[in-house]
Amino acid sequence: MKDATKDVKSLIQTYERVRRVYVDTYKLLSTVRDEVRGSQYALEDMVNVIYVLRELSRLFNDIRKETDGVLHIFENVCCAMYVMLYQNSPEKSNPIRASLATGTPRLTVGVTLPKERSDPEKYYELMKYFGIPAEALKNKLIKSHWPGICEYVSQLAEEGKPLPPGINPDKTYPMYSIAIRAFQQLDDLVRMEGGDDAKHDKFLTKVITTRQRIEDQN
Amino acid sequence: MGKKDMSSEITKIDANTLPAFLEDEEVIGIETLSEYVVPPRVKTVQKQAMDELLKYFGAGDVILSPLNALIAEMPRDEKGRPKEGETASFYVVPIFFYPEWATWNPIELKGSEPAIKYRTVDPTDPIVAKSKNPSLRFENVPNDSSGKLQVRHVEHLNYIVVLYGHPLGAEPCILSFSRGEHNAGSKFAALIRMRKASLFGCVFKATVNLRHGQLGDWYGIDLTNPDNRSPWVTKEEYLQFKELHEQFAKYHKEARLRARLEYDSPEPDEAATEGNEF
């Protein structure tokens, strides 16, 4: 297994930089908002501000989406490994206690529901199983709630019961998520003002490699 | 023309074929065989299977290899085509799970090199990471002058299972998932996990389904909760299967457990392109 200390440290340092940018951006946005409300800008200046804000928003949005994508991959791989690791001994599968946080994997079943338009027979078969009259569906009075159906199917899976009619087993898939409980507050690990980089680097290495509260480490 | 060599021919085995005179005989002489445990493999017969195999079985049938005993037969119409809306199915109880990683030689080297170049059950082995990463999964064959031949690192999800309520009996066999079927194996792992109980206490239904891929169609096995029988084993069976689980855990720990991995050529290499393996 790879030693991930360097990667985790880089991510914490990125968090530190982004947090500084976050505080600075908030201050700046607050200032320009007050000024535009007081009609302080010429039309041309406002167009310039609009242009830059739009690009700034695109940048933040892009990095948020990319971060969410990588986060999703980590959740999937972590949970899949966890499931495989404790396949033979589920009783030993406790929450994962790491140095910064405790993660509790959660597994539910995702389903691809038959579509009313392309597969009406299966769709109405499934809805009939749930006791929903076809008339109410045809008149668009009721719509199926996908997360609710996934929860229901997950419950059936736990009880060892078969899938409801109309749902193709081939169109089901495991959905993984992890509940995270912080052991160290990330904000306690970052510096708002800079300082001795070498010392901070050493501090981060210690925090990442040992599950121990900061106050106990000092 | 010389006499046909019958020894290499495939023979279809029916359940309970033990001759009457052997039924009450003491089983002797197989003590040393238990040194290495190689359970038979649950195999789905593919359209592209060897002619000898297709003489006795049809595509979509499930057999126990190398015994060639029929586990489940694909329902067919009078023309021998699989009946629409019907499929082969059987029940299993998973006893023990373990992943294994293997480096497979390219099919072009069949006959000159062994199909499996290297195999390991060590999760820290370098080929483990390679097998999980689509960009590292293929490597050039050393000293290949054409530069085109590539080995492939593959993760195999191996389940020791017993056939449940089946005329072939409850002898442990192996259900292995890799490449295009890796996803079905991962789904099975998740389904077992959701039961929140020991795997050997759970009954599952195995169903044969036709998969459609870019490189062709193939039959694969999906595991689901049973629809018309209890999803749990009985108390007596639980104790029996628990013992079996402990036995296989011991075999695995002692590196005596060997899966009969086969080069199932009909399984298209979709996993590499669609990221199904991980």
Side-chain angles (χ1 to χ4, degrees), chain A residues 5 8-10 12-13 15-16 99-100 183-192 194-218:
Chain A
T5 309
V8 177
K9 206 187 290 174
S10 295
I12 294 175
Q13 285 160 347
Y15 177 82
E16 185 177 275
S99 54
L100 302 181
F183 182 71
Q184 305 278 23
Q185 290 303 318
L186 216 47
D187 286 348
D188 294 343
L189 307 182
V190 299
R191 305 159 299 169
M192 288 312 289
D196 186 339
D197 284 344
K199 198 176 164 191
H200 189 64
D201 191 85
K202 208 173 159 191
F203 163 73
L204 285 182
T205 305
K206 196 174 174 191
V207 169
I208 294 165
T209 50
T210 50
R211 186 179 159 98
Q212 200 179 357
R213 303 247 181 233
I214 299 173
E215 53 268 29
D216 299 336
Q217 291 187 7
N218 295 331

Side-chain angles (χ1 to χ4, degrees), chain A residues 49-63:
Chain A
V49 172
I50 290 166
Y51 169 59
V52 178
L53 283 179
R54 195 169 282 173
E55 288 302 299
L56 195 63
S57 173
R58 188 187 57 77
L59 211 63
F60 283 145
N61 211 22
D62 193 47
I63 199 70

